[in-house]
Amino acid sequence: CQENHRVCSTIYIKNKNPNPPVENRGNRGNEIKMTNVLLVAAIALPSGDVPLLVEKALRKLNCRTLLFSLEEDLPLLELVRYRGPNDFHRSRFNRRLMRTIKRFQPDILFIYGSNWGIFPKTLQKIKNRTRCKIVIWEENLYYWQWYQCLSFPYYDYFFSTDSYAIPLLAKPSTGLKNVYFLGQGCDPDEHGRVKLSEEEKKRFEAEITFIGGGRPRRRQLFEHLTRYRLKLWGWGWDESEILKPFAVKETVFGLKKT
């Protein structure tokens, strides 16, 4: 992705060295400068595998990565009280994030999905105390929480998976800079054609397959497509009586199944 290459512009190779990259802050000789990327994302089920695939892609770009989860590997006090993001959890999450940044010293703080809990004052501290670039790849258009909107001025790059939102987000009044459309792709190692047995064909084949949450507008759309053989994977599709016959109850697993 060109924009990801732009963000990771501190990565460079002075020659084609077949040996594994080594971290070298001095950038001397034929060694490779590695970019430290702290990737912040929600990774617990039922969230998707994209953060894991993003981390894998960054490593292929010779980045040194650390995946910092919003809701996994929580300290005991947070784990006992965790019922989803809340003020108690967010305040402790921000303190843990600052300690991790001090230890890991990232060149890039990469927020994937949405900013689920990083406070603007935390981003301001990162700006004041480090040379770290702050990047968000927004896929949910979650802007209505107070901390999400107030965080806009602290992002060095803002990527959105929704192209129609770019003109709005790029307006000077938002405080955002370097706003780009960045659609999702696939990992050839994980996604591709597979040969199905006859039993698997009965289970998976369809003229139209959709994997994702059955939100109201999506249900309205697919209710007009029932003349096709549909398979709708995800939550909410059986809330429509019309779509119930096409809703698949089975959970879709990816890398996290292992």
Side-chain angles (χ1 to χ4, degrees):
C1 170
Q2 292 180 349
E3 297 305 337
N4 273 352
H5 278 290
R6 179 180 296 187
V7 173
C8 295
S9 61
T10 55
I11 300 173
Y12 67 92
I13 303 176
K14 289 191 176 180
N15 72 345
K16 294 183 178 179
N17 189 344
N19 298 319
V22 294
E23 185 173 4
N24 176 27
R25 296 272 176 182
N27 304 323
R28 295 178 180 177
N30 294 327
E31 293 179 336
I32 300 170
K33 167 66 171 64
M34 293 187 70
T35 300
N36 285 356
V37 182
L38 180 59
L39 179 59
V40 179
I43 63 173
L45 292 172
S47 59
D49 292 333
V50 178
L52 305 180
L53 297 174
V54 169
E55 184 184 30
K56 177 183 173 184
L58 289 169
R59 287 179 176 176
K60 284 188 175 181
L61 290 172
N62 295 321
C63 294
R64 178 171 173 252
T65 64
L66 178 63
L67 181 55
F68 190 81
S69 172
L70 178 73
E71 74 289 66
E72 287 195 348
D73 300 321
L74 299 178
L76 179 60
L77 182 61
E78 291 183 54
L79 183 63
V80 170
R81 297 187 57 173
Y82 187 77
R83 297 294 184 274
N86 53 60
D87 290 341
F88 175 87
H89 171 250
R90 288 191 183 101
S91 61
R92 284 154 181 78
F93 172 80
N94 278 259
R95 289 201 289 269
R96 285 191 287 111
L97 177 63
M98 288 304 299
R99 291 195 296 269
T100 302
I101 286 175
K102 184 177 180 180
R103 183 179 72 254
F104 185 66
Q105 298 184 6
D107 300 295
I108 299 173
L109 173 63
F110 193 148
I111 305 165
Y112 174 78
S114 290
N115 179 1
W116 298 114
I118 306 177
F119 295 145
K121 65 181 180 181
T122 301
L123 296 176
Q124 186 179 40
K125 287 179 183 177
I126 296 170
K127 284 289 189 183
N128 293 339
R129 299 178 186 179
T130 74
R131 299 170 64 183
C132 178
K133 296 292 185 182
I134 301 175
V135 177
I136 185 168
W137 190 3
E138 175 64 61
E139 70 162 0
N140 302 296
L141 297 182
Y142 277 19
Y143 311 137
W144 58 81
Q145 296 281 1
W146 65 270
Y147 59 86
Q148 293 170 331
C149 294
L150 295 180
S151 295
F152 280 5
Y154 301 108
Y155 298 135
D156 293 288
Y157 291 87
F158 190 103
F159 302 114
S160 175
T161 57
D162 295 283
S163 58
Y164 63 84
I166 299 300
L168 174 63
L169 294 168
K171 289 185 176 181
S173 58
T174 65
L176 290 169
K177 49 189 176 292
N178 298 315
V179 178
Y180 299 97
F181 166 68
L182 182 56
Q184 294 178 339
C186 65
D187 184 337
D189 295 335
E190 300 293 334
H191 310 110
R193 292 181 178 273
V194 294
K195 188 174 182 179
L196 302 178
S197 66
E198 291 302 318
E199 183 179 345
E200 288 172 329
K201 287 180 180 180
K202 293 177 183 178
R203 180 182 173 193
F204 293 114
E205 274 192 345
E207 292 178 286
I208 299 175
T209 297
F210 186 87
I211 304 173
R215 297 186 175 92
R217 289 189 178 181
R218 290 178 177 175
R219 294 199 298 265
Q220 291 175 12
L221 170 64
F222 280 96
E223 283 173 356
H224 295 283
L225 299 175
T226 54
R227 63 184 180 276
Y228 299 101
R229 288 187 295 113
L230 299 177
K231 283 195 184 295
L232 304 173
W233 301 73
W235 54 265
W237 297 107
D238 56 355
E239 294 181 24
S240 166
E241 291 296 327
I242 298 175
L243 296 177
K244 267 187 178 181
F246 307 99
V248 181
K249 296 291 187 180
E250 184 179 347
T251 302
V252 178
F253 285 109
L255 295 176
K256 292 175 193 169
K257 189 174 182 180
T258 57

